[in-house]
Amino acid sequence: MHIKAILFDLDGTLIDSYKDIGIHLNKTLRDFKRQEVDIEEVKHMVGGGARELLRRFFQDGLLERALMVFREYYMKDPVIYTQPFEGIRELLEEAKVRGIRLAVVTNKMESLSKVILQKLGMAEYFSIVIGGDTLPEKKPSALPVLEAIRAVEVLPSEAVMVGDTEADLKAGRLAGVKRGLALWGYVKVQEEVPDFELQRPLDLAKFF
C-alpha cells in the first residue's frame, strides 16, 4: 500500500490532551455544584466531542449551558499540559519531506482545534482541519473524512484515516479509506477492525 494522504484524529492520536479536558470539565462541574471526576478517568471519555462528554453529567435542560461554560474555559486556556505524542512531530516532518498531504478530522470544535495546533507549532503541517462543528455531521459519519479527501485532492484508495476510537475507524470504513489504529492513544475500539495497527507514529512512514 502506498498512501498520498493521512487524515488524523486529534485527541488521543496527534495530541495527549485528556488532562486539559479533565481540568476544564472539573471547573464546569464545580460551577454547577456537581461532583468532580478523577482526571485519569477522562482519558476513557474523550473522542465524541464536548457535547458527548458533558452529556454524561448533565441532562438536556442544563446541557447547553454547561457546554457554553466548558467551551469558554477551554478556549481561554487550551494548552496547559497538552503535548503531541512522542514521535508525532518526527512523523509530520517526514511526511512533509515526502510530499504526503495531511489533514485533521476531529470531533473537537474546529476553532479550538486550530488554536491548539497553532500553540503547539503544528498547524503548518495540515492542509485542512475539520472539526465536529465544521459540517452537518461528525465522525462516525463518513462526511468529514470525504470532505478532507476532497480538500487534499486524493482518491479514497490513496488515503488512510489514523485514530484511536470506534468513530475514527467507522468513519474511515464508510468513506472507503484504509484505517490505522493508533495504539499509543486512548484506544476505544470493540467492533470495528482496523486495516492495520500502529505501535508508534513512525510506523506509518513505511507506507509513504
Side-chain angles (χ1 to χ4, degrees):
M1 182 177 78
H2 178 70
I3 58 174
K4 292 185 179 177
I6 308 169
L7 320 177
F8 289 98
D9 172 44
L10 187 60
D11 300 291
T13 301
L14 284 173
I15 60 171
D16 189 4
S17 53
Y18 78 94
K19 286 181 182 171
D20 288 356
I21 294 169
I23 286 167
H24 299 309
L25 171 62
N26 276 339
K27 286 181 190 168
T28 306
L29 290 169
R30 271 201 302 278
D31 282 1
F32 286 85
K33 308 281 192 290
R34 300 290 171 93
Q35 187 175 348
E36 293 178 41
V37 296
D38 176 352
I39 285 181
E40 288 303 311
E41 289 301 307
V42 175
K43 192 183 280 191
H44 309 295
M45 302 176 190
V46 174
R51 183 172 269 104
E52 294 306 312
L53 173 67
L54 288 165
R55 193 170 273 137
R56 295 166 182 260
F57 306 96
F58 297 96
Q59 300 310 308
D60 285 347
L62 280 177
L63 182 58
E64 294 307 316
R65 271 176 57 203
L67 196 53
M68 279 176 60
V69 171
F70 173 78
R71 284 176 172 164
E72 204 170 294
Y73 278 132
Y74 206 162
M75 283 297 279
K76 204 177 289 180
D77 212 356
V79 176
I80 305 167
Y81 295 107
T82 296
Q83 284 295 328
F85 283 99
E86 187 179 346
I88 286 293
R89 288 190 193 278
E90 292 84 346
L91 172 65
L92 296 178
E93 198 53 45
E94 182 70 14
K96 182 182 172 184
V97 168
R98 302 280 197 95
I100 305 294
R101 292 164 195 177
L102 304 175
V104 173
V105 181
T106 175
N107 282 342
K108 207 182 201 79
M109 285 171 63
E110 180 186 333
S111 56
L112 180 57
S113 301
K114 286 178 172 175
V115 167
I116 291 170
L117 289 168
Q118 197 74 48
K119 282 184 174 290
L120 294 174
M122 296 163 66
E124 62 178 284
Y125 291 103
F126 301 102
S127 305
I128 187 169
V129 176
I130 296 176
D133 58 342
T134 307
L135 301 166
E137 297 172 11
K138 62 181 183 178
K139 298 178 298 186
S141 165
L143 189 62
V145 176
L146 291 169
E147 178 60 22
I149 292 167
R150 189 192 65 74
V152 297
E153 301 178 310
V154 299
L155 300 171
S157 59
E158 298 171 325
V160 60
M161 175 77 215
V162 177
D164 67 316
T165 70
E166 199 87 44
D168 299 317
L169 298 188
K170 186 174 181 182
R173 174 171 59 78
L174 293 173
V177 304
K178 290 280 190 276
R179 291 94 34 83
L181 179 62
L183 294 177
W184 60 84
Y186 310 146
V187 187
K188 293 185 297 294
V189 174
Q190 290 157 331
E191 293 174 19
E192 292 287 331
V193 179
D195 294 291
F196 49 88
E197 294 183 345
L198 300 159
Q199 295 289 344
R200 59 195 188 101
L202 278 168
D203 288 350
L204 261 174
K206 67 185 174 201
F207 298 117
F208 295 175

